[in-house]
Amino acid sequence: MKKIVVLGAGYAGLRTVKELIRLKADAQIVLVNKNDYHYESTQLHEIAAGTKEPDDITFKIMDVISPKVHFVKDEVLKIDRSKRQVQLKNSQAISYDYLVNCLGFESETFGIKGADEFGLPLIDVPSALAARKHLEKTLANYSKSQDENDLHIIVCGAGFTSIEYLGELVYRLPELIKKYDLPKDKIKIYCVEAGPKILPMLRPNLAKYAIDYLEKHGVEIHTNTPITEITANSVLSKDLSFTANTIIWTTGVKGSHVIADSGYQQHRNRVAVSTDLSLPDDTNEFVIGDVSAVPSPDGRFYPTTGQISIAEATLAAKNIVAKLQGKPTAPFVFNNLGTVCSLGPFNGVAELLLAGHWHLKGLKVAPLKRIVNDRSVLELAHFKTMLESK
Ligand SMILES: Cc1cc2nc3c(=O)[nH]c(=O)nc-3n(C[C@H](O)[C@H](O)[C@H](O)COP(=O)(O)OP(=O)(O)OC[C@H]3O[C@@H](n4cnc5c(N)ncnc54)[C@H](O)[C@@H]3O)c2cc1C
């Protein structure tokens, strides 16, 4: 019997194994993930801001996969492509006939000095929790230190993760002020972005709504400000410098380092795949989700998002089953449903492409985000998990 090995149990990996089972793939299926839980990475900013707990956005992998899938909890170190083997940290290497690489994203520092050392990334549950602990410890310290930098927070970047984090942070701020008896007028929150716009992927009126909302809640937004260096308590650009004892690093992501370590031809740890999501030099190998660069009809690559990762996984599973049956594979076609950016639990902006083109902002977006999150949990896991998640 052929063996299909799926690496990573994020959106892409979990959807792949679920689809392989649904399509009754005539193969042994192995899923490898470094933790025994899946986390909803689209909600990490809520853990970091302290509006949700890890239990609200995680579920045990074994609870949601078919017993027909063999789950291995281990860390992938490298893929030996010539031997068709996956090397693991703690167990023996696993051989494969088909590989689906869904190892996901890591923080991208663009080589900026100090970003790795002093920036707090939001890339998984431990890093989001570390950012939250740092923030609370630093705010709590103000009563002793009287150092105003303890009351300053800098968010680097102004894409989705940065803006969603800022939205959650300003929502929680009144509680933090009360908890640590902080002087409200001395708190400063900066958002520092290299490009000319915040949320560049959204229509200008929606981005403007987000800017107005955040500024009204005390966030100082600096666009056209490329960061040149981070220190323990400052963010430096060519003309400006900002000081703070909490620096959140959400400028962008790259693919897993395992990609470079395994010798793939890659750019920022993303591998360019064929239109059927397999690799040109090994058509039994599929690379999807945030480790892939998938060609789009406009000649560029699709952005890396959870929504696209799930769509890619559905096709990768279908194409492997086609190959097992000696049938041709199909190309990736993406049906974009739109984008939702939350501004805390009760506000946000959204562009929806369902029965028309909708531009939504304000309170009505909050239930929408909830529906998107619930739908994702529902599709990846079980109804029970959705009801339990807050
Ligand atoms: C705060 C935030 C908000 C976001 N909001 C949205 C949104 O609203 N909509 C949207 O579409 N996208 C959103 N995204 C992007 C989305 O989260 C990613 O595109 C998506 O998670 C990619 O899915 P994936 O399965 O490729 O990778 P991941 O979700 O990164 O999953 C990778 C899995 O592999 C495991 N893994 C990694 N390395 C190893 C290893 N060496 N060995 C074993 N296991 C390993 C990880 O633990 C993880 O389980 C957001 C991202 C963030 C950070």
Side-chain angles (χ1 to χ4, degrees), residues 64-130:
V64 298
I65 57 172
S66 159
K68 289 179 188 153
V69 176
H70 176 56
F71 175 60
V72 177
K73 178 181 171 286
D74 210 332
E75 185 177 334
V76 176
L77 298 179
K78 202 176 154 188
I79 297 149
D80 186 335
R81 301 186 68 210
S82 59
K83 290 191 188 152
R84 287 202 168 153
Q85 267 190 353
V86 178
Q87 292 173 6
L88 302 174
K89 191 171 178 186
N90 301 312
S91 11
Q92 277 196 333
I94 305 178
S95 309
Y96 58 85
D97 298 295
Y98 294 91
L99 185 72
V100 190
N101 189 329
C102 325
L103 287 173
F105 66 90
E106 292 178 1
S107 176
E108 172 65 283
T109 60
F110 305 99
I112 293 170
K113 195 174 164 199
D116 257 338
E117 199 179 345
F118 303 114
L120 296 158
L122 312 184
I123 46 161
D124 51 18
V125 174
S127 64
L129 268 180

Side-chain angles (χ1 to χ4, degrees), residues 8-13 33-35 39 41-42 44-45 74-76 102-105 122 161 164 258 289-290 304-307 309 340 369:
Y11 294 108
N33 195 69
K34 64 180 165 195
N35 306 305
Y39 53 92
S41 48
T42 57
L44 286 170
H45 57 286
D74 210 332
E75 185 177 334
V76 176
C102 325
L103 287 173
F105 66 90
L122 312 184
T161 305
E164 290 202 312
V258 172
D290 279 19
T304 50
T305 71
Q307 192 191 145
S309 301
V340 184
K369 184 80 185 181

